[in-house]
Amino acid sequence: MKESKVVIIGGGATGVGILRDLSMRGISALLLEQGDLAHGTSSRFHGLLHSGARYAVKDPGSAAECIDENLILKQIAPHCISDTGGWFVQTRDDSPEYVEQWTKACANAHIPISEISPSEACRKEPLMSKDVLRVFEVPDATVDGFKIVWANAKSAKRYGGQFKTYHQAKRLIMENNRVVGVSTKNLLTGEEFMVSCDIVVNASGAWASHVTGSIGIPLDVICDKGTLLAFNQRLFQRVINRLRPSGDGDIFVPHETITILGTTSEFVDSPEENDPQEEEVNKLLEIGRHVLPGIMKNRVIRAFSGIRPLHREDHDVPGVNKEEGRNVSRSFALIDHELQDGIQGLISIVGGKFTTYRLMAEKVSDRVAEKLGSMTPCRTATEDLLPVIPEHLHKKAAQLLPYAPVEKMLERLQEDAESVLTEIQRDPRKGQMLCECEMVSAAEVEKAASDEDTHHLADIRRKTRLGMGTCQGAFCTYRALPLLWDKKEKYDALQDELRNFLNQRWKGIRPVLWGQQLRETELTRAIYASILQVREN
Amino acid sequence: MWDGIIIGGGLAGLIAGIRASERGKHVLIISEGAGSLTYSSGALNFGDVVQLRSRENHPYALIEENVIQAGMDYFQKLFPDYQGVCGRTQTLFTPLGSPRTANIIPSGQNAAVLQDAKRIVLMAPEGMKDFFSKIIKTNLKICYPQCIVDIYPFRISAFEAWHAIGKPVTGMEYARYWQSGPGIAELKRVLAGVTITCSETVVLFPGLATAFSEPLKEVLSETPFPVIEMTSFPPSAGGHNLYNALKQKFKSLGGELLMGTGVQRIELQEKECRKAIVSSKGRPTAFAAHSFILATGGILGGGIEVTAEAAQETLLGLPLYVPAEWTKSEFLGEQPYAHTGIEADSDLRPVDPGTKEVLFENLRVAGRMLAHWDPWTDNCGGGVSLTSGWYAGEKL
Amino acid sequence: MSFEQDKAEILDACIKCSACTAMCPVAAVNPLFPGPKILGPDAERFRLEGLQIGTTLSYYCSKCKTCEITCPSGVKITEMITRAQEDAKMSEGGKTLQFSIRDYLFGRAEYLGKLATVLPGLTNVLLKAPLFRQILEQTLGICSEAPLPAYHTKFETAEKDRKSKKQVVYFPGCFVTYNDPLTGQAIVKVLKHNGYEVIVPPFHCCGTPLEGNGYLREAQETAKKNLALMEPYMRAGIPLITGCTSCGLALREYPGLAESASELQAYDLFEFLWELQERNEFRKDFKDIQVSLGYHSSCHLKAQGIGTPSVRLLRLIPGVQVTDLDQGCCGLSGSYGFKKEKYHTAMQIGKPLFNRVRQGAANSEFQSVITECGGCQVQIRHGSGIETVHPVWVLMQAYGFFQLLSSGRHASSELV
């Protein structure tokens, strides 16, 4: 099978960013992803679009990249970004010397900051600690990892790019020191086949060393596990950072209806080690308390962990403590294996952060284009990620769904909005909220369920936010069953889908099982174990 | 001064209140809100009583076996619309159309007759929420391969305004309608439309709960085929009707039910409870009583509050049994946290877990507040609440 | 704990069980109303994002508070909805001009009362005239079929006799003041009989009608005026008593409005009498009577969280049988059932109650119905045709005072 000049391995932000960039330059590309798009690190972070202020002191290069990309993304992808602004707050425990150092560093990196009075800050954020000494406003924002990844994938598709989810790259195929293709396995059918190409881009993040390892090339990627907490509601209206050298768990990010607190940092041996642990949760609560004094009483709906892929070379800087991944530079590494290992047709991209995904994609695509002799320049910094939603759809949505947050729905659906609204108009029953916590209509879930690249309930969740709210699936899991049943050829048996989904949710609830979420869990068990009599195998 | 104050108006609290009132006691039940019966199927499970009694600390092991039997008998005498025998289970349907079992069930839910059926007619009310006829049909075909399964869709004019805007009608709304005067007439009409193509036809009806309604039971007794009610996804009419029946029974015996308000704290005098201080709007109200029952529903009911650091009983700070291991990896399997609760003596009075000393002479604990059981894996949610509630009411 | 932290915790307490919507009397009869769960805690999470959700539909909420009474998690659902309406009003209204004017007026029961009682005879003639009612419906959206209560000469206490050592302040409320002064006099009589001097300062409306029509801020302003009038008595530790359950609910919440109000002791009449009974101070010099009554507990009494003290107390009277009807909301909810777009909803809400009342009266289970709430009385009479009065009249009869007032009694409760 040979469809494209380039095969990209990894469907996170970087991978889809490359897919879009190459497709826009007219270079044919196919992306392979072993799970669903954005199932890995790109959806398992705090959702912060950095202003760069956080890196200003330690890593001015990174900081400058961040502020540039921050401004670009706000321009090209406004529907994926909520321009909340952010604060850096100095508490009594934070050193005033650092504050001075930081303000200077921000100025050097051209990050605009402005100080506001603690009393005004407390008025604007009533749940925040009253003990803050100084507060600075920065252009931080929040970004939706799912949305931006899907927006890139859909945009790429419009330019002819292709992607295959649940397709695992088993190993690279070499001919005379040149990578000529990828042996691929369709994880849903078990079918194995070869995809041939001129260049392979390894953008598989925490899995990057597995990919190069298949041809014996070592690639030292450190798996830095970061755990985060999701609170039940929007506790703050803007991103709140502690004004101190970066540490664990000191950023609160309001994200849609919830608030995320993160992130811990701990090296682990494999990207599969992503179960959040109780100790990490306790650490987050302990640190978060300084900014959110009522933290023990604010409901945590789940914990989740992502693996940041850090490049070993960055890490091998003398004097860096192995236990603290945060001290490794966040700048990314583009490895042309032709230069490094004498293997042609293979490029790896590791490290970096979500905020700079576009820049990373641009650099990779430049290198690929150069190798393929393409002269077309990159346009991703200027061209809108998605077309504007026409005004009449806003009106139609508001009329058809009188109590739903329709703007959010339109942003999620994008070019599918029209067909979903038409479906609701045809059958008003589908305008009812299937997921009441996150207010997702039956029509929207149905659309996601019937997408060709949706294969599990969890894929629907990532596209729609189903099951991500307060009840964590207690009610909507059941309500999604008929949609799975209607397309049963592509889903597992209902009982299995249901059990797997509940157990996935459980993984994130277990370490935060107290308070109201514990009550919710009791209700959920009553529903599934007793009323529906679903049993573990 | 009340004879007894029961804190918690769920199954355990209401049964306790009914029993005590029937014994001539002047009883007040204080309930934060509707108990969890409204989320339940309406069927009551007792589990394997003999096996559970052999577990040292299980609530069943606290009381005599004949008390369990007596509680069950009492319930059925109270509500003849329920049927069941201790030690035997009845078959009924889950909302997804799979057969399940329980010990005491509303007679209308009994699915035994399906063993001999040749044809099942699944009634499919238009736009019923959380009702998936195609899935149910598939499940029925798997469990009853000898049967033809027909879906019988129908719509009634009472909910036209709902259908017009695509709003689903909940099972509770349907059930409530069937209980009304026009609903009964309509139900007759709908059932008359079901044609009998073979003599062993059985009709399966979601969103219908006939228990406690004489006219409804009469309608069903006149059909040429047996009609089986299905249990519903919560909130469900089956559980809710039982809740209402318990409430009405309690009130008709002269009991007072204070709803929507929690108890702030209990005033104590040495080893006795004296007054319940209720968080009435604006200013607390004190209610004094000779005797108290704590039936505050455990974790779900709010009687046990768990923080990131500790678990505690909310009213008196009674010592709790808390398992060392909190959870297990399989969500729907056994979960140790569910065993959190108060340890009690054979009179259901709370005891110190270490010394076994009785902590309060005039306080009894019932239902989900008791330690050492998991209703969902022990299959005895209804049984423990019913028997411990009855026993606490008997002793009040 | 701060207001915001408290608010956050209350929202967190919702476990999405849907018991509130399952029990909501409005959602049960009006499919357009998404129900308290969606408009309350579900929408609240989006409101925190700055999104106004379902505000227009929220005006179907009758503020009966059944959701709050039902909620097993203590979520203040009605409060959330009311606050959202208030916020929406600040940004942009969700109602038509016609309904806004009407709700503005209904919110101001006190001014309506003052106006109507200048010439109560004329008002009542007008309120009975079909043409006038048609005009009201067309212009203001007040349903022509709705049971608007008749107006009376304003309630005033003539009792100015010797000072008792024991004093109470009586809060008559707009219904007693303008529509049912005889009940007010009966309450004063019963309190006097139990040895209390009854003080009635010139109180304003309690604020509940304002709140019910979405004027939270004005409601608080009115409350503060009343608190000022109450101030000297409050300092002297004199309790404040009302026979109206909606006023009672509002008064009980006054202490939260100002630091200075924290000492306010607001009582429902029967709650107060029950306390006397508990202290053995309640007079039980009852005459021989034989009555059977159906009791309806108003939503706003339930929301007070004090139980049903009138039932408890009346059951002490030999020969009195009280049956708790236990049928939920009557549907009227203050002025909700008077509004043309809500009248039919209100009547449907009350249907199970009306049926129960008619059935009980038909098979002689009881002769008449008692309920503390004036609005419920009007609605039950309208819906069932059965006489419905304040429970204080049972005490009046038991004490042997009923004859004194019986001639004027029925006129007071007559429907237009």
Side-chain angles (χ1 to χ4, degrees), chain B residues 1 34 167 256 280-281 283, chain C residues 70 252 266 278 305 308 312:
Chain B
M1 186 83 155
K167 179 152 179 171
E256 183 168 334
S280 309
K281 201 63 110 192
R283 172 173 46 82
Chain C
T70 307
R252 291 188 90 94
E278 294 260 81
T308 47
R312 232 179 282 152

Side-chain angles (χ1 to χ4, degrees), chain A residues 233 299 403 408 436 520, chain C residues 8 12 15 37 48-49 53:
Chain A
Q233 55 180 299
R299 177 171 177 179
Y403 60 87
K408 301 181 111 185
E436 292 178 358
E520 192 78 65
Chain C
D12 279 347
I15 55 167
K37 172 177 174 280
L48 290 171
E49 262 191 273
I53 288 187

Side-chain angles (χ1 to χ4, degrees), chain B residues 302-319:
Chain B
I304 294 171
E305 197 177 271
V306 180
T307 64
E309 292 115 355
Q312 71 165 21
E313 189 280 311
T314 44
L315 276 181
L316 290 148
L318 292 171

Side-chain angles (χ1 to χ4, degrees), chain B residues 124 131 232 267:
Chain B
F131 167 71
S232 307
E267 233 174 71

Side-chain angles (χ1 to χ4, degrees), chain A residues 330-375:
Chain A
R330 293 306 173 77
S331 279
F332 52 88
L334 189 158
I335 301 147
D336 185 338
H337 294 280
E338 186 174 351
L339 305 178
Q340 184 168 310
D341 309 291
I343 304 290
Q344 293 180 331
L346 178 63
I347 295 169
S348 290
I349 174 88
V350 285
K353 43 190 150 299
F354 194 96
T355 301
T356 56
Y357 89 90
R358 193 211 60 84
L359 182 65
M360 289 155 72
E362 179 181 333
K363 298 290 180 207
V364 171
S365 302
D366 282 351
R367 181 64 62 94
V368 170
E370 188 191 317
K371 283 181 186 289
L372 293 173
S374 162
M375 304 298 282

